């Protein structure tokens, strides 16, 4: 448990539902990850898609992060406007987005883009040649089969490298994301996945170099593998996003404790169905998001774990269901027929989310709760 | 199929992902519901939570709707600012939100509020007495056990009615929402649920009236029951939300056809994993939402049904998986190893959502495609 005083006084003044960041926990999460990256001898490039919030990203950079990763061009434009220029756009580039990428680079943004196909590489090279721009491109490597990327052993890897390098682009490196690490929940399996991610990406870099192509950057990462890798030989940087807040999915994966989760949704009890053991709160799926990431994990938390307003977990109480603006709060297992007395109308609670990236996206701003109990409103952006 | 020309030209100019409204389909959905309500002899009060968008709500009012329902105080304030004054805030009132409700009423908004408990009714009456405001309050009735409300046979119904009426509030009526209709998929079961919703709410009104309490309004509704009720004797108004766009969940429930779905997400193919039969698109769960409402229905559509850019369904192709900004497009059943040729990088597609309310919320604006192929940007609001 935290030994700090989370003053309920400041939270009592907020309208609900509200997305509350416990900034003490957030800073602890940031320091933990950065210290680990420092110890492993790699640069750290956090993924800003989790927070989409400048004060959060600034805290990551102040702790030692070098550059950021983004998932949309809008994120790149936003953070560049806020003074961050080393940006990796980590989603495969398509021709229709090249004009926006070009505009950002022309304004001085050191934007790196990603490809995993001959077709996109050709389009990037042709567009760059047409506009006199040497785009920095990283090749996406598939190390776990979960989504995108070229496998390290595919012929297409060298072909894409040559198209870029000989076509006038700057071949900046290789990057991979072992997203299937989210499906694991033992230290041994996580360490093995981290090694698979590392080895696959390093092998891809070696193949490019053996083919006479440049490959300065070897970038890997996901929150579970970043926190589980035993060494990162051959890797130059790591990326991770959700570690900054953590969430119930990550708790179930085993890379954080419940008391590390820094994001919660402040909610008010609005009614009861005492015979069913339900309290109804004003945080439904619009606030929590529809993410049910714990559904297939070892502890299904419904739409979230219920905590007291001071952040103390109330064991056994979860949001068992959700409508758009109604959350159904119930005890796991047997109904609590005394729930109306336990949580009267007007009670403030904090609900830990399954997935911080999804829950944060439901809110235009975070309420950042500092150690002294003061609250600052940190806006986050929405859309594309 | 529509027999109109949905000009791809206008869609080609949009950045992806984008939330596209087919306004021809939307108007058809609006007209169909309004004609049905007119034939059943009831007023219609659409739920604005689906669109959170003024031009959509204006189209509903122009077609004959009388007033609106909202799910948050922010929606009430937004639509009142846009000139709509007959507003039902359909989520149980709590003391902390009464000052905002009072402020809206003082500015001339005919805001109705809802309660289903003695505690809230007492708080509303006390706050109203303190501020000299006779709040109009409707009592929420539970007709299907799915969420909130007082059952028609409970003693609390009369108790709450008396607290409000004798405490100086205006007892405006009763309202219910048979949300469990979403779990049904046969006309007979839907008609039976509509009758259960009607009968329960009418019974509650009769009990109040027999106790000497006023109950002018009897308000029922959900999209499935509104489209399935055989008669609405004793009901004065119906509420429904998602019918304006429809979605795959409603198609599976059986109250619309696939070609009635008016909301889609415009997406671009950004890559492939040909051996797996995957195309990767730039609409992941951030665009589609995490809603997997078809998961337990008779046709699980993953994260959405794939259509050509002109809106024509491509049978058998769905988003089988989603990461934050990556959607995995695959054929149901056997992999399509020719998928890279079928959907080359850069291909524009439209993805029909599981749940229009959840998908719309992921976007700051809709792109409203008119019959003449022109596109207008309709902003929608976000947060609380």
């Amino acid at each position: 448990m935290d030994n700090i005083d989370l003053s309920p006084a400041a939270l009592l003044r907020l309208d609900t539902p509200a997305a509350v960041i416990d900034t003490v926990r957030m800073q602890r999460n940031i320091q933990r990850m950065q210290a680990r990256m420092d110890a492993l001898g790699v640069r750290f490039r956090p993924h800003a898609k989790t927070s989409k919030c400048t004060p959060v990203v600034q805290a990551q950079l102040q702790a030692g992060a070098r550059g950021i990763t983004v998932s949309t061009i809008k994120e790149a434009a936003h953070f560049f406007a806020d003074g961050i220029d080393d940006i990796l756009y980590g989603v495969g580039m398509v021709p229709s987005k090249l004009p926006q990428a070009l505009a950002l680079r022309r304004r001085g943004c050191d934007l790196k883009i990603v490809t995993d196909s001959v077709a996109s590489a050709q389009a990037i090279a042709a567009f760059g040649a047409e506009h006199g721009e040497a785009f920095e491109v990283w090749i996406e490597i598939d190390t776990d089969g979960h989504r995108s990327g070229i496998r390290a052993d595919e012929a297409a890897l060298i072909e894409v490298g040559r198209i870029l390098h000989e076509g006038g682009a700057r071949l900046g490196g290789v990057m991979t994301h072992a997203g299937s690490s989210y499906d694991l929940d033992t230290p041994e399996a996580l360490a093995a996945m981290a090694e698979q991610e590392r080895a696959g990406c390093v092998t891809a870099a070696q193949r490019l170099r053996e083919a006479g192509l440049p490959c300065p950057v070897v970038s890997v990462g996901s929150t579970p593998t970043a926190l589980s890798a035993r060494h990162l030989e051959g890797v130059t940087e790591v990326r991770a996003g959700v570690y900054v807040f953590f969430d119930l999915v990550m708790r179930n994966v085993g890379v954080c404790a419940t008391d590390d989760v820094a994001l919660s949704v402040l909610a008010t009890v609005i009614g009861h169905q005492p015979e069913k053991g339900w309290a109804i709160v004003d945080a439904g799926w619009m606030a929590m998001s529809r993410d049910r990431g714990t559904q297939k994990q070892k502890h299904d938390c419904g739409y979230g774990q219920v905590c007291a307003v001071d952040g103390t977990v109330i064991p056994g109480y979860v949001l068992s269901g959700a409508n758009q603006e109604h959350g159904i709060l119930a005890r796991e297992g047997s109904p609590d027929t005394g729930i109306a007395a336990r949580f009267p109308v007007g009670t403030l609670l904090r609900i830990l989310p399954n997935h911080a990236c999804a829950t944060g996206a439901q809110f235009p701003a975070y309420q950042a709760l500092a150690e002294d109990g003061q609250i600052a409103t940190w806006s986050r952006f929405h859309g594309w």
Side-chain angles (χ1 to χ4, degrees), chain A:
Chain A
M1 296 302 305
D2 287 315
N3 54 8
I4 57 157
D5 173 33
L6 293 181
S7 164
L11 295 177
L12 291 174
R13 291 190 291 271
L14 295 177
D15 292 332
T16 59
V20 174
I21 298 174
D22 178 331
T23 61
V24 174
R25 293 184 184 188
M26 180 189 85
Q27 286 289 0
R28 194 172 65 201
N29 298 339
I30 290 171
Q31 296 299 333
R32 172 186 169 200
M33 180 66 85
Q34 188 63 51
R36 194 175 154 75
M37 295 299 105
D38 292 346
L40 287 164
V42 292
R43 292 193 301 273
F44 182 56
R45 181 186 292 279
H47 207 315
K49 77 182 179 70
T50 299
S51 72
K52 300 201 183 196
C53 175
T54 297
V56 174
V57 171
Q58 283 171 338
Q60 293 169 306
L61 293 169
Q62 281 162 12
R66 304 263 293 275
I68 63 170
T69 314
V70 298
S71 67
T72 67
I73 295 280
K74 180 171 179 171
E75 289 168 51
H78 176 97
F79 288 114
F80 177 62
D82 282 353
I84 299 166
D85 59 6
D86 179 357
I87 301 178
L88 169 68
Y89 171 47
V91 176
M93 177 53 65
V94 282
S96 57
K97 293 178 186 177
L98 281 166
Q100 294 166 281
L102 177 66
L104 276 169
R105 287 184 62 89
R106 288 275 162 88
R107 284 157 51 204
C109 179
D110 181 15
L111 182 73
K112 296 108 165 110
I113 60 177
V114 165
T115 186
D116 71 348
S117 73
V118 166
S120 286
Q122 287 171 333
I124 293 166
F127 185 87
E130 185 185 346
H131 293 88
E133 181 69 33
F135 285 102
E136 178 168 347
V137 188
W138 297 7
I139 301 176
E140 184 170 4
I141 307 302
D142 178 8
T143 51
D144 69 343
H146 90 285
R147 187 172 75 193
S148 302
I150 304 174
R151 287 196 319 274
D153 62 359
E154 284 186 88
L157 174 64
I158 307 301
E159 189 181 358
V160 167
R162 286 205 197 291
I163 289 165
L164 294 168
H165 184 62
E166 294 167 7
R170 181 172 161 213
L171 185 49
V174 287
M175 60 85 78
T176 192
H177 166 62
S180 60
S181 62
Y182 281 50
D183 300 331
L184 308 175
D185 62 5
T186 66
E188 298 71 27
L190 288 162
M193 181 58 71
E195 174 56 17
Q196 179 179 323
E197 183 184 51
R198 182 203 70 80
C201 206
V202 168
T203 299
Q206 286 168 337
R207 282 198 63 216
L208 287 166
R209 292 170 188 150
E210 286 162 8
L213 293 164
C215 187
V217 171
V218 180
S219 174
V220 305
S222 71
T223 287
T225 52
L227 293 170
S228 304
R230 294 187 179 152
H231 75 91
L232 287 171
E233 197 177 320
V235 168
T236 66
E237 70 164 39
V238 168
R239 308 178 325 281
V242 77
Y243 81 95
V244 71
F245 295 148
F246 284 126
D247 53 30
L248 297 170
V249 165
M250 287 296 114
R251 191 273 312 269
N252 282 343
V253 168
V255 293
C256 71
T258 308
D259 290 337
D260 293 325
V261 179
L263 181 68
S264 61
V265 173
L266 186 72
T268 303
V269 175
I270 64 171
H272 303 91
Q273 295 288 14
E275 292 169 25
K276 295 175 184 161
W278 291 356
I280 311 293
V281 298
D282 64 355
W285 60 254
M286 187 62 85
M288 300 309 302
S289 90
R290 270 294 197 193
D291 199 295
R292 287 283 290 105
T294 58
Q295 188 172 22
K296 292 178 179 170
Q297 292 185 310
K298 54 190 168 191
H299 184 182
D300 182 351
C301 301
Y303 284 90
Q305 167 67 51
V306 177
C307 303
V309 70
D310 71 356
T312 309
V313 170
I314 305 177
Y317 288 83
V318 298
L319 290 196
S320 62
N323 287 177
Q324 186 159 336
E325 299 289 350
H326 298 77
I328 296 175
L329 189 168
R331 188 164 65 192
E332 297 171 290
S334 63
D336 175 5
T337 52
I339 200 157
R342 183 183 296 272
F343 303 119
V345 166
T347 303
L348 278 181
L349 297 166
R350 283 163 72 183
I351 318 294
L352 303 180
N354 286 322
H355 187 174
C357 308
T359 301
Q362 304 300 105
F363 291 84
Y366 301 106
Q367 307 299 324
L369 182 63
E371 190 163 14
D372 64 2
Q374 298 296 303
I375 288 179
T377 298
W378 291 353
S379 69
R380 57 162 287 148
F381 51 95
H382 181 223
W384 289 267

